[in-house]
Amino acid sequence: MRTFVFVIITVILLGVPQAFADGTAHCDPQKRYRVWVRTFGNWTQGDSVSTDELKFLSYGLTLGIDRQINRHWLFGLALGENKTTIESASSPDKDNINAFHANLFARRTFDRFFLDVEGNFGYNDQSFQENATQWGISGEAGTWWSHGLGRVEPYVRLSHVCWNGDGNDTKETLMAGVRYSWRTATDLTTTVPRFFGGILQELGDKSLFPVATFGNTPTVFPVSGLVVPETRLFLGGGFTTSMGTSLDILLRYTAEMSSRHTSHTALLGVNCNF
């Protein structure tokens, strides 16, 4: 744990990192600021220790602003809220959770390499469990190359989350994946379709359950007795359509799968560049 924190702090001091993979990597250098909004819907189903089936329904909204300092540096801030309902097959009662979060992020891009760092703080107002605060930090590193008309981008990501409610819990997650994108253009628009996939590995068996993802930032909270699959696969795709250089619209779908867990998330976003 101390080694992980040391590595992340070192990365920050070196000047790391990205905001969101959707539409950030190819910013117009003349458009230094970007204001954006993301909204999502998530449906998740998993089994508990007692083999009781749990269902999670979640939706939310986040607002952000970032600035492209130059072609190498980007910094940003985001604020958001999401609501989640947890249903159990063996009980008519529902656990309702209102979560609020704030994120800081940065990207440092080199000629053929990028480093990202993202930190977040949140508060979870839960109906059945103790209300809780949480904070997290994550780092992502990757490279890219051209393949025909497309771009291949392999990456790895390491995340740490600390939850403080009825006791303290921490959790680390390692992700490895690849993104593939290409560009198509008309007289009025430029569209970047994107596909991605990979594997998630939980480092430990803490019952911290990821509800949804804003950009790269997960909102998590503990669920008593829930089995968290150690290894899960994820697969998804979407596109970003730019109307000139001032407006981008993006859509993304992600599926996450294991033998005892399925999750589906759809995300819609708008960027205003100036």
Side-chain angles (χ1 to χ4, degrees), residues 9-225:
I9 292 176
T10 301
V11 169
I12 294 174
L13 293 177
L14 287 175
V16 203
Q18 169 183 35
F20 301 99
D22 296 301
T24 302
H26 308 288
C27 290
D28 184 342
Q30 302 303 316
K31 301 291 184 178
R32 294 302 180 92
Y33 289 93
R34 184 176 67 162
V35 176
W36 48 263
V37 59
R38 304 281 186 271
T39 182
F40 82 96
N42 171 270
W43 177 82
T44 297
Q45 180 175 322
D47 293 336
S48 68
V49 172
S50 62
T51 69
D52 188 16
E53 185 177 85
L54 298 176
K55 294 181 180 179
F56 300 77
L57 300 175
S58 187
Y59 61 92
L61 181 75
T62 188
L63 302 172
I65 184 171
D66 52 55
R67 185 185 182 193
Q68 189 79 38
I69 304 299
N70 52 45
R71 71 186 187 93
H72 294 296
W73 285 92
L74 181 144
F75 296 92
L77 166 69
L79 300 171
E81 177 182 6
N82 68 276
K83 299 180 182 296
T84 301
T85 299
I86 305 175
E87 300 181 15
S88 171
S90 63
S91 173
D93 297 325
K94 298 180 180 180
D95 189 5
N96 298 306
I97 302 171
N98 295 323
F100 308 89
H101 65 92
N103 308 322
L104 292 171
F105 49 84
R107 154 169 280 209
R108 177 64 167 93
T109 303
F110 302 91
D111 288 339
R112 297 287 300 182
F113 180 70
F114 66 84
L115 292 171
D116 294 348
V117 156
E118 189 171 337
N120 68 80
F121 177 81
Y123 175 76
N124 297 317
D125 181 5
Q126 304 183 204
S127 59
F128 285 170
Q129 303 182 53
E130 291 288 337
N131 294 341
T133 58
Q134 68 184 52
W135 63 270
I137 189 167
S138 60
E140 180 176 306
T143 186
W144 67 88
W145 64 83
S146 297
H147 178 71
L149 299 177
R151 169 177 162 135
V152 181
E153 188 175 292
Y155 64 95
V156 293
R157 186 175 184 85
L158 183 62
S159 301
H160 169 79
V161 174
C162 180
W163 177 85
N164 303 289
D166 186 12
N168 297 320
D169 266 326
T170 60
K171 174 185 177 180
E172 289 77 40
T173 303
L174 179 64
M175 173 192 294
V178 62
R179 293 184 281 256
Y180 180 75
S181 61
W182 69 96
R183 287 174 176 265
T184 62
T186 68
D187 292 339
L188 299 178
T189 65
T190 299
T191 299
V192 180
R194 182 179 292 105
F195 294 96
F196 53 87
I199 189 169
L200 284 161
Q201 178 67 43
E202 301 294 345
L203 307 179
D205 58 357
K206 301 294 185 182
S207 58
L208 290 171
F209 196 83
V211 178
T213 299
F214 297 100
N216 288 330
T217 305
T219 298
V220 302
F221 60 91
V223 179
S224 177

